[in-house]
């Protein structure tokens, strides 16, 4: 029987994904959930080295914002458990993955089609336990679920993030998640720079989103291309965490952009945002990595 909200689809690139029927939005990049999860989030964030090299007093923590069909979360866990298998001395090193999701029905749906998503293999029981108990643990690895609205959960989140995999629906469908106010809440839960700082990875390269990230306190850079997207976005609490910080070329394009402000910006705030961007330290740094915060 057809599900009222979701259906399995084949993308233009031939990968299996899930369609959100009410909005017509496909959940993943055409390259498919697994390739996108590994390329855009796991590899690009240098998760392996960031976790292995982490020595601060805080527990190394990844936020998975928009758990959805769990591709990003499972790519993260596969990466960590592969590392542990190769380097058993890491088995007890603490690692925390916190997944945020308001529509857990999607994960039930994906799980009921697990044969179509090879990344579920071996993780069916952990996922069931996560859904039921909101937490799953093995060795030093803890996976927690914050079920409900991310924008509410984040305000009382006790564990700060080192890495943020930010994967809500598109701004058209999910505008509140891409607002300056949402990114400010997130920034307030990032690790302090003396404890490694934090980096955020997302698939969008839209100017209003990049400006909202700047406004929230992040430094902002270009991320690698995936599938049909020639660029994505990386943001960080300090510029030295960015490989490709936005520079003069982006600023020049921003000045003549048709959409230079975050979505839903009231007209009376526009001139303040203009001054803020033009005077932002990132553009005065001349791309020399420095500790700022
Ligand atoms: C593009 S899908 C995520 C795909 C997922 N990362 C994966 O690996 O399969 C976006 C997800 O974000 C969730 N979402 C959107 N707004 C949210 C909010 N305010 N709080 C929690 N989850 C939200 C949606 O329910 C949906 O599951």
């Amino acid at each position: 029987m057809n599900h009222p909200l979701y259906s399995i689809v084949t993308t233009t690139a031939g990968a299996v994904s899930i369609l959100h029927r009410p909005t017509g939005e496909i959940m993943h990049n055409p390259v498919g959930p697994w390739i996108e999860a590994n390329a855009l989030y796991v590899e690009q964030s240098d998760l392996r080295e960031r976790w292995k090299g982490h020595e601060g007093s805080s527990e190394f923590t990844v936020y998975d914002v928009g758990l959805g069909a769990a591709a990003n979360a499972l790519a993260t866990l596969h990466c960590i458990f592969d590392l542990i298998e190769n380097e058993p001395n890491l088995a007890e090193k603490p690692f925390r993955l916190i997944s945020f999701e308001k529509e857990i029905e999607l994960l039930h749906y994906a799980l009921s089609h697990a044969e179509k998503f090879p990344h579920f293999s071996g993780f069916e029981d952990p996922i069931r336990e996560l859904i039921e108990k909101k937490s799953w643990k093995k060795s030093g690895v803890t996976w927690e679920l914050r079920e409900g609205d991310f924008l509410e959960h984040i305000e009382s989140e006790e564990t700060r993030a080192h890495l943020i995999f930010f994967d809500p629906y598109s701004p058209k469908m999910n505008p509140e998640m891409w607002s300056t106010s949402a990114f400010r809440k997130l920034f307030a839960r990032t690790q302090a720079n003396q404890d490694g700082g934090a980096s955020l990875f997302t698939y969008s390269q839209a100017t209003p989103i990049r400006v909202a990230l700047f406004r929230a306190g992040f430094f902002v850079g270009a991320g690698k291309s995936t599938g049909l997207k020639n660029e994505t976005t990386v943001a960080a609490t300090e510029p030295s965490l960015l490989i490709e910080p936005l520079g003069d070329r982006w600023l020049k394009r921003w000045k003549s952009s048709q959409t230079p402000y975050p979505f839903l910006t009231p007209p009376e705030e526009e001139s303040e945002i203009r001054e803020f961007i033009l005077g932002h330290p990132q553009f005065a740094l001349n791309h020399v990595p420095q500790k700022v915060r």
Side-chain angles (χ1 to χ4, degrees), residues 24-288:
E25 193 154 312
I26 293 180
M27 213 118 320
H28 309 101
N29 184 301
V31 294
W34 192 240
I35 291 180
E36 184 182 35
N38 281 290
L40 183 55
Y41 300 104
V42 170
E43 301 297 337
Q44 184 171 223
S45 67
D46 203 15
L47 171 63
R48 284 176 194 78
E49 297 307 319
R50 289 278 281 268
W51 176 53
K52 272 173 68 173
H54 177 65
E55 282 173 353
S57 54
S58 61
E59 182 176 22
F60 193 88
T61 299
V62 176
Y63 285 180
D64 163 43
V65 182
L67 167 68
N72 299 347
L74 291 180
T76 302
L77 293 177
H78 274 280
C79 166
I80 294 297
F81 283 111
D82 283 354
L83 255 180
I84 292 176
E85 201 176 310
N86 289 327
E87 299 182 45
N89 60 314
L90 293 171
E92 297 309 319
K93 187 176 168 74
F95 177 86
R96 189 174 295 264
L97 173 64
I98 303 182
S99 291
F100 297 86
E101 179 55 61
K102 68 173 180 187
E103 220 174 280
I104 210 70
E105 174 60 18
L106 171 55
L107 186 54
H108 284 290
Y109 176 78
L111 200 55
S112 69
H113 293 84
E115 77 289 352
K116 301 223 187 302
F117 300 102
H119 58 267
F120 280 127
S121 173
F123 276 95
E124 294 91 339
D125 287 341
I127 290 176
R128 287 189 194 101
E129 189 171 324
L130 179 81
I131 294 175
E132 192 192 327
K133 300 186 176 155
K134 314 292 175 237
S135 176
W136 174 81
K137 191 165 170 45
K138 185 176 173 191
S139 309
V141 177
T142 307
W143 186 13
E144 294 184 329
L145 171 63
R146 306 283 186 258
E147 190 176 347
D149 189 352
F150 165 78
L151 297 171
E152 289 172 16
H153 274 298
I154 192 66
E155 296 200 86
S156 54
E157 181 53 60
E158 286 176 1
T159 315
R160 289 172 175 259
H162 293 90
L163 295 179
I164 299 161
F165 298 159
F166 194 78
D167 194 17
Y169 290 121
S170 70
K172 197 168 140 210
M173 184 174 156
N174 224 180
E176 69 289 356
M177 289 292 279
W178 301 93
S179 65
T180 305
S181 127
F183 289 133
R184 281 195 172 123
K185 290 180 184 185
L186 202 39
F187 189 83
R189 295 289 175 262
T190 53
Q191 285 292 339
N193 286 330
Q194 64 266 26
D195 218 346
S199 307
L200 174 151
F201 299 82
T202 192
Y203 60 85
S204 175
Q205 59 161 317
T207 302
I209 286 158
R210 289 176 165 183
V211 174
L213 285 162
F214 275 123
R215 290 285 282 167
F218 289 98
F219 292 83
V220 184
K224 71 196 231 182
S225 93
T226 52
L228 300 179
K229 291 185 181 292
N230 58 3
E231 204 172 279
T232 55
T233 296
V234 181
T237 55
E238 66 164 293
S240 64
L241 290 170
L242 294 175
I243 291 172
E244 226 184 294
L246 301 180
D248 296 341
R249 218 158 51 99
W250 180 85
L251 194 61
K252 196 167 161 215
R253 271 191 283 129
W254 174 77
K255 285 179 191 164
S256 55
S257 168
Q258 300 295 307
T259 53
Y261 306 114
F263 299 116
L264 309 175
T265 297
E268 63 274 19
E269 279 181 27
E270 291 180 357
S271 66
E272 189 203 324
I273 296 175
R274 239 185 147 71
E275 263 178 52
F276 174 84
I277 293 293
L278 292 171
H280 195 282
Q282 177 162 330
F283 302 109
L285 289 170
N286 214 8
H287 318 319
V288 178

